[in-house]
Amino acid sequence: RLHLVTWNVGTASPPPDVTSLLQLNSLGPTMDMYVIGLQEVNSRITNFLSDLAFDDPWSIFFMTVLSPSGYIKLSSVRMQGLLLLVFVKHVHLPFIRDIHTHYTRTGLYGYWGNKGGVTVRMSLYGHTICFMNCHLPAHIENTEQRLDDFEKILEMQFEGENIPSTLDHDVLFWFGDLNFRIADYGIHFVRESINNKRYNLLWEKDQLNMAKKKEAFLQEFIEGPLQFKPTYKFDLYSDVYDTSEKKRKPAWTDRILWRVKNLCQHASKEDEFSAEEQTISVTLNNYISHMSYGISDHKPVTGTFGLELKPLLSDPLVMLNPEGEWSAEHDVLISYSAVPEFPSSAWDWIGLFKVAFRHVNDYVTYAWVEDDEISSNKDRKQVYMSAAEIPDMGGEFLLCYYSNNFQSIVGISEPFQIQPNRMLMEKDLTQEENSWMQKPDNLESHDEF
C-alpha cells in the first residue's frame, strides 16, 4: 500500500497536524510506503544553505510524525523549492535496493531550479519503480512550455551502470504542481460548475486531459477521475477561491499520474495477453484533495495505491541477530550470514538503532563488519560491539546491516530488548538518596514566604 502526497506549500512552515493528510487514523491496513512531493518549500538563500547542511523543517517534521509508527526516511532529494521524500516500513528495507536520486532544472532555460523535477528510483522486490515530483511553468498560455519541460525531465538519465531510463522503469509515478489550467471557459462558468459539483463539464477543457489526447508520450500515463474541486487558487486559511484583484481561474494544477511499462508494451501488441504474464499491477484506491489545509493557496492532493508485486527477490541478502541476552553492562556479539553472491565491502557496517529510528544515519552506535569481526566460517560470522557504546538505560532496539555497495540497508533484525546497566542505575539511586539525606530539614514557614 502506497500513499502519495503532492502539495505546493507556498513557502509556509509545516501545519500543526497531518493525520488526515497521511490517513494515519485510517481503519484499514497501514501503508507500506509514503511518497511526499512538495513544491515551493521555502528556498531563500539562508534557508537553502542551512538546509544543505541539515535536514529542512519539512523533512524533520515528516520524520517526527512517521518514525513512531515504524517508518524510516529511505531517500530524499531537494532542488531549491522542490522536495521529494520516501518513507518505508522497516520490514521492506532489505528488499529495496539501487536507490538513486536526480534533479533536472528547467527554470531560466535550465539554469535555475525554481522549476523542474526531482526524482527517486529504486528496485522494490526486484521491480524498478521511479517517483518524479515536478513543478512546471505557470500561466494558462504556457501549455507547450509545460509539455516541453516534462519531456526534458523524462529524458534525464540516472548516473550508474545498468540503471534503466525513466520510461524503462516497471512503474513510473508522475506528480506535482503541473500547473495545467482550464482553457476556454470563463471564470464564472468554471466557478458555477464547481459550486454545483459538475466537475465533468470542466474535464474536457483541462489542458492536461486535452494534451493526453494529442501527445503520444502522455497517452501511456493513467490518472484517476478528478472528482474533487480544483485545488488552485485559494485565499489562505479558507476554502474560498481567489478574491484578490487577479481573481485567478480555479484549476486542477496538482495531479498524480502513473505509467506501468508492461501495460504499455502489451497495449502496443495486437494479441491478447493473460494476467499471469503481468508481474506487477497498480490499483488506485483513492484520489482526493484535502480542503482543510490552508497554509498555502494550493490544497494538497493524495493518491492511495495498491501495488501488487510478484516478488523477484524473496530473501534478504543478509540475516542478522543479536547473540544471547544483551545488556549495557558487557560487550555483546552480533551474528550474521549473507547469501553466497552478496558483494560485501570493507566499508559495510552494522548499526544499532532504536526501534523508532528516523533514517539510516540515526544509529545509536555501529560496528564495522571487517574490523570488528571476531569469528568467521562459511555459514556465519560474528561481530563484536563494545558495552561502552550501548545506552545505559537499555530499551528496545534493532540491528541493521548497511551495504556500501548497495548504499542501503540489506538486512534487519527483529526488535529485541537490551537490559539496562544495573550497576550504574544503583549508583545513581544511591547518589540520589545521599543527596536527599544531606538536604536541610524543611524550612519553617515565614510570613515573607
Side-chain angles (χ1 to χ4, degrees), residues 187-247:
I187 188 169
H188 296 294
F189 178 80
V190 171
R191 288 193 174 187
E192 196 61 29
S193 301
I194 295 166
N195 290 338
N196 294 320
K197 295 188 176 178
R198 300 184 71 184
Y199 308 132
N200 59 312
L201 297 178
L202 308 176
W203 291 344
E204 65 183 24
K205 294 298 180 182
D206 171 80
Q207 290 176 331
L208 180 54
N209 285 341
M210 291 162 73
K212 282 181 70 180
K213 290 175 183 172
K214 294 180 184 173
E215 304 287 345
F217 76 100
L218 287 180
Q219 286 168 6
E220 295 168 348
F221 283 92
I222 307 164
E223 184 180 17
L226 296 167
Q227 291 175 338
F228 49 86
K229 290 170 76 167
T231 51
Y232 174 82
K233 170 185 171 99
F234 289 88
D235 291 347
L236 294 184
Y237 299 102
S238 79
D239 55 4
V240 176
Y241 283 108
D242 188 16
T243 59
S244 71
E245 284 182 21
K246 290 183 177 177
K247 284 194 169 54

Side-chain angles (χ1 to χ4, degrees), residues 94 97 315-321 335-339 342 344 348 350 400-403 410-413:
R97 299 173 197 169
D315 295 315
L317 292 171
V318 174
M319 301 278 287
L320 75 166
N321 56 275
S335 69
Y336 75 92
S337 59
V339 297
F342 175 62
S344 64
D348 289 358
I350 294 172
C400 295
Y401 187 111
Y402 184 85
S403 162
V410 295
I412 187 165
S413 75

